[in-house]
Amino acid sequence: MSGHLFRLPARDVEPLDGVNPPAEHHGGDLLRRCREGDSSAWEEIVERYERLVFGMAMREGLNRDDAADVTQIVFEALLTSLDKIREGEHVSAWLVVVTRRQAWRVRTRHLRERPVSEVDPGAELAVSGLANAAGAEPDRVLDLYEALSSLGEPCRELLTALYFDPSEPSYEEVAVRLGRPVGSIGPSRARCLEHLRKILANRTPS
Amino acid sequence: MTHEPSSNEVSSEEVLDWLEGRLDPRRAQVVEVALAEPGSAAREFADWAQNLHRLSAELPLVAPPPVLSQRLRHLYLLRSGRGRPAIRVVARLDVDSRHPDPLVAVRGPLLDADARIQLTFTSEDADVVLDVAPTHPDGVTLRGQVLPRRPMPAAFQATAHGPSGSVSTIEGDAFGSFTLEQVPVDAEVVVLSNDELTIELPLSSTGHVT
């Protein structure tokens, strides 16, 4: 399947009037509000991006403790860089770059600390492969993430659980987690995906 | 594709069910006919959904531990000087299930590698209940919960310190519960901390039931 299908031709997709202006899509408005001293904007940034950063750190081969350290470092870096991030720069792209860099540092430090006899070249190659795969289509992946973030909470939570949770929970587990009847998961999933599709079709490419 | 389908139309829900192998065989045949038609809405949606699946594999979204979420939210207030300064308290032992008489004083290590015990500590800011379960000859599992006496972030990082080393967890939940596995019985103190409060639970020598 060719990649261009992801940003589908909008033949049967209606425009979404008033759904999340572009600046809100890539977090620019949140950054501006943070610079102006609005602490609720920072809360929104954390809410929107903490799963992305923590999940990306784990995908880079870190355990949960190291991923937590990296996540904190990345958000501290974002806070100290609020004035340096250019207008229009995507927050998610910035976060992913810094997360990968920090994760690489942690992995390198662990490698230096391990005796040579413990180093498994296969495992190192696997981690390296993961990192490369994560960078295969960064723009599309981040477009998807920003579109997902701009969904309302019920759809965002549902699609995150169904499609983006590495533990791949069953419909029954998702229903329990979200407190919804299991029979509602399928129809809701379809409606939410249609909505996500419309958002992606209407947004400006990064 | 959001309207109710006639018998020969397929909905996006049916396309998704077909992709996931959940559709009954009769409707599956109808969907397959629709999918076989190049450029059909069903075909486009199926292609889009499969692409979404592929890309989502590159975008793992994992909720961080609650204590980390709290910390991340607190960073902004700390940086702007609006965060509350963290308080450090030493809690005192209030209840030891081995000594129902509260006037009995105990000395020596509180942890016991042979028996399951319950301890309760108290302080002005929070109480802490601790369930101690033997897990192997030299270690115990500590399951506890912090019960704050005032509104505060509820998740805590927990660390047990002792001569044999430290055991730590950031996996405490949003209700103040935590579990420390394989804690050496010579652990001297458990430290519970978040951005507003650090609680020390002394586990050795001066443990008095008052």
Side-chain angles (χ1 to χ4, degrees):
Chain A
M1 181 185 313
S2 59
H4 77 277
L5 287 167
F6 184 61
R7 188 169 287 122
L8 78 173
R11 183 160 61 86
D12 61 347
V13 176
E14 310 84 28
L16 281 177
D17 293 331
V19 172
N20 298 297
E24 195 64 35
H25 265 312
H26 55 65
D29 183 56
L30 292 174
L31 289 183
R32 179 185 55 73
R33 286 167 51 205
C34 274
R35 288 187 202 106
E36 292 170 357
D38 182 351
S39 61
S40 68
W42 176 256
E43 295 242 349
E44 285 181 50
I45 285 179
V46 173
E47 172 73 26
R48 181 183 283 202
Y49 297 111
E50 62 179 354
R51 291 183 189 200
L52 173 69
V53 173
F54 190 70
M56 195 59 74
M58 292 196 67
R59 188 189 170 102
E60 293 285 318
L62 303 186
N63 62 33
R64 284 179 65 86
D65 283 351
D66 287 336
D69 287 343
V70 163
T71 302
Q72 181 163 342
I73 290 169
V74 169
F75 276 92
E76 284 172 349
L78 176 64
L79 202 47
T80 55
S81 304
L82 283 177
D83 295 329
K84 298 175 192 161
I85 298 177
R86 292 188 304 274
E87 196 67 36
E89 187 170 356
H90 286 217
V91 176
S92 54
W94 190 94
L95 288 170
V96 166
V97 168
V98 178
T99 302
R100 287 207 181 113
R101 193 180 302 153
Q102 291 298 332
W104 176 81
R105 284 182 181 166
V106 171
R107 282 203 315 269
T108 307
R109 193 178 69 223
H110 285 336
L111 278 177
R112 279 203 305 265
E113 289 168 354
R114 286 161 62 188
V116 174
S117 59
E118 286 183 16
V119 175
D120 174 0
E124 300 313 324
L125 280 174
V127 167
S128 159
L130 275 178
N132 288 336
E137 294 181 277
D139 287 349
R140 279 214 179 97
V141 170
L142 293 177
D143 276 351
L144 174 58
Y145 183 73
E146 296 289 3
L148 182 72
S149 299
S150 63
L151 286 172
E153 187 178 349
C155 274
R156 189 176 66 238
E157 293 294 320
L158 179 64
L159 295 186
T160 297
L162 287 175
Y163 296 101
F164 300 92
D165 184 337
S167 69
E168 298 183 2
S170 66
Y171 275 31
E172 288 75 16
E173 289 167 327
V174 170
V176 169
R177 189 188 296 178
L178 301 182
R180 300 184 195 178
V182 69
S184 75
I185 299 296
S188 300
R189 164 209 58 178
R191 281 194 297 274
C192 291
L193 281 179
E194 290 276 15
H195 198 53
L196 180 68
R197 190 181 181 213
K198 288 175 184 172
I199 290 174
L200 281 162
N202 278 278
R203 72 187 304 265
T204 312
S206 39
Chain B
M1 286 184 56
T2 51
H3 62 281
E4 283 297 312
S6 68
S7 60
N8 289 324
E9 285 184 292
V10 297
S11 66
S12 52
E13 185 183 346
E14 285 180 312
V15 171
L16 292 169
D17 283 344
W18 181 84
L19 287 170
E20 296 174 14
R22 296 171 183 272
L23 202 59
D24 72 69
R26 190 178 53 82
R27 287 303 298 171
Q29 284 183 346
V30 177
V31 171
E32 283 159 13
V33 169
L35 292 176
E37 187 184 331
S40 68
R43 173 69 176 268
E44 279 189 358
F45 185 74
D47 288 343
W48 180 84
Q50 285 183 309
N51 243 340
L52 174 78
H53 257 297
R54 187 176 55 78
L55 282 179
S56 68
E58 295 186 14
L59 188 58
L61 302 179
V62 184
V67 70
L68 176 61
S69 284
Q70 286 175 184
R71 194 169 293 161
L72 298 178
R73 283 162 174 75
H74 202 63
L75 288 175
Y76 189 87
L77 294 178
L78 280 182
R79 185 164 182 265
S80 59
R82 285 183 281 167
R84 289 187 202 171
I87 297 171
R88 190 174 191 97
V89 298
V90 179
R92 72 185 162 78
L93 181 64
D94 197 33
V95 175
D96 180 335
S97 62
R98 293 165 298 184
H99 303 284
D101 181 349
L103 297 178
V104 172
V106 294
R107 290 195 178 277
L110 283 181
L111 302 187
D112 190 329
D114 299 321
R116 191 181 190 99
I117 57 177
Q118 286 81 42
L119 306 169
T120 303
F121 294 83
T122 189
S123 74
E124 284 186 10
D125 295 276
D127 297 325
V128 181
V129 291
L130 206 56
D131 184 87
V132 184
T135 45
H136 65 92
D138 300 317
V140 296
T141 294
L142 303 180
R143 288 192 179 83
Q145 186 173 17
V146 181
L147 305 167
R149 290 173 178 246
R150 57 181 170 83
M152 70 172 69
F156 283 79
Q157 178 168 354
T159 308
H161 299 283
S164 304
S166 297
V167 179
S168 187
T169 181
I170 57 168
E171 303 294 348
D173 69 17
F175 302 103
S177 299
F178 60 90
T179 301
L180 287 167
E181 308 269 8
Q182 299 191 344
V183 177
V185 286
D186 63 356
E188 294 171 338
V189 65
V190 170
V191 179
L192 306 164
S193 59
N194 64 25
D195 293 299
E196 290 196 17
L197 181 64
T198 296
I199 312 169
E200 286 185 26
L201 312 179
L203 296 178
S204 65
S205 68
T206 55
H208 278 267
V209 178
T210 54

